[in-house]
Amino acid sequence: MTSRLTARFQALAADRRAALVTFITSGDPDAGTTAKILAGLPAAGADVIEIGMPFTDPMADGPAIQAGGLRALKGGMTLAKTLALVGDFRKGDDATPIILMGYYNPIYIYGVERFLVDAKAAGVDGLIVVDLPPEEDDELCLPALAAGLAFIRLATPTTDDKRLPTVLRNTSGFVYYVSITGITGSATPDFGAVAAAVSRIKQHTDLPVCVGFGVRTAEHARAIAEGADGVVVGSALVEAVRASLDAEGRATPATVPAVLDLVARIAEGAHAVRK
């Protein structure tokens, strides 16, 4: 685990509370707005920040994040510009962990070795690349670990005890448990089933377990924080961006506050639970 992720989860454990992990799409609807949202997320309550790398075929993501990615790509966002955003964020914040989430194709085109060097230099702490299974760890996972970047793997409701050790092998940083069977933002989780699944995963690993997909409100965050080490919110924040845009799809004065205010409300739920 990288030092920033280690320090953050150790601090949260000492404070006996769950992490709030917030996802936004890089460049949605433009790089300047993303930079302003990034800068405000820690003060709003984000403990860890995921930044989505826009991609044309995000098969794990629901309509909200798909649309956010397309807005970003239409605005000219690239992987290089995403890394530049992280580098700019680090000029003002050297403590909040940053995770890049996305798909392998843009990284492959950028070049794996070049990407890992540039990501580390920019201040990235970990990667979530959802379309690379453990059987393909040589492609990116092992080089990322060697470069000092965490590689966070997803476990799902269909990941049984036979498959789980394979999924957890080489996983670092934290385990991301997908609370529903489906795409992001498509349903509200069964919170009792989520708690049972987290308990089962924690029998196989000492890593923190964070839960995402379907978290929209402070009440959802509070329910998940009862059993998990972290709560991940993404589609709701991307939808807040969309709802604030003008008729031409451009950011308005309401865009940044819409996201940060929602993060603050959800943070109240996630942080209200004491372990």
Side-chain angles (χ1 to χ4, degrees):
M1 197 187 296
T2 66
S3 59
R4 269 187 290 263
L5 275 168
T6 301
R8 183 52 51 96
F9 278 105
Q10 287 178 343
L12 290 164
D15 202 28
R16 300 171 49 234
R17 65 180 177 86
L20 177 62
V21 183
T22 58
F23 171 97
I24 60 170
T25 299
S26 176
D28 176 25
D30 59 78
T33 300
T34 298
K36 292 176 183 175
I37 293 172
L38 272 177
L41 282 174
D47 298 298
V48 178
I49 298 173
E50 283 183 36
I51 301 177
M53 300 177 282
F55 181 50
T56 52
D57 302 290
M59 71 284 286
D61 293 310
I65 295 179
Q66 288 181 29
L70 293 177
R71 288 192 295 269
L73 291 170
K74 183 180 178 182
M77 182 50 59
T78 64
L79 186 47
K81 292 178 181 177
T82 297
L83 295 174
L85 275 171
V86 177
D88 288 342
F89 174 82
R90 282 280 171 250
K91 295 174 184 176
D93 187 319
D94 196 40
T96 305
I98 294 282
I99 309 297
L100 295 185
M101 181 173 185
Y103 300 84
Y104 186 47
N105 183 280
I107 297 171
Y108 178 80
I109 296 300
Y110 191 93
V112 169
E113 183 175 352
R114 176 187 169 215
F115 169 74
L116 293 175
V117 169
D118 290 353
K120 186 70 178 176
V124 173
D125 299 291
L127 306 174
I128 302 174
V129 181
V130 299
D131 55 349
L132 275 179
E135 288 77 8
E136 304 298 333
D137 275 356
D138 288 343
E139 285 281 340
L140 180 62
C141 174
L142 296 181
L145 295 176
L149 294 167
F151 201 85
I152 296 138
R153 193 91 66 191
L154 275 62
T156 74
T158 60
T159 307
D160 59 21
D161 284 334
K162 182 178 180 181
R163 176 65 174 169
L164 195 53
T166 302
V167 170
L168 295 175
R169 185 184 64 217
N170 297 323
T171 295
S172 59
F174 61 88
V175 180
Y176 188 139
Y177 180 67
V178 176
S179 64
I180 58 173
T181 303
I183 53 178
T184 58
S186 59
T188 299
D190 177 337
F191 299 114
V194 167
V198 171
S199 179
R200 180 173 63 87
I201 292 170
K202 291 177 79 67
Q203 294 175 15
H204 293 264
T205 180
D206 292 328
L207 290 171
V209 180
C210 300
V211 177
F213 284 42
V215 178
R216 298 185 186 86
T217 68
E219 289 71 27
H220 292 169
R222 184 180 297 108
I224 286 177
E226 293 281 355
D229 301 298
V231 180
V232 186
V233 58
S235 293
L237 303 185
V238 176
E239 180 59 17
V241 170
R242 184 206 63 77
S244 72
L245 303 179
D246 68 15
E248 304 300 322
R250 296 172 299 206
T252 68
T255 300
V256 174
V259 176
L260 299 183
D261 289 350
L262 180 56
V263 169
R265 293 197 297 274
I266 294 176
E268 287 183 6
H271 294 163
V273 177
R274 291 289 168 174
K275 303 293 185 180

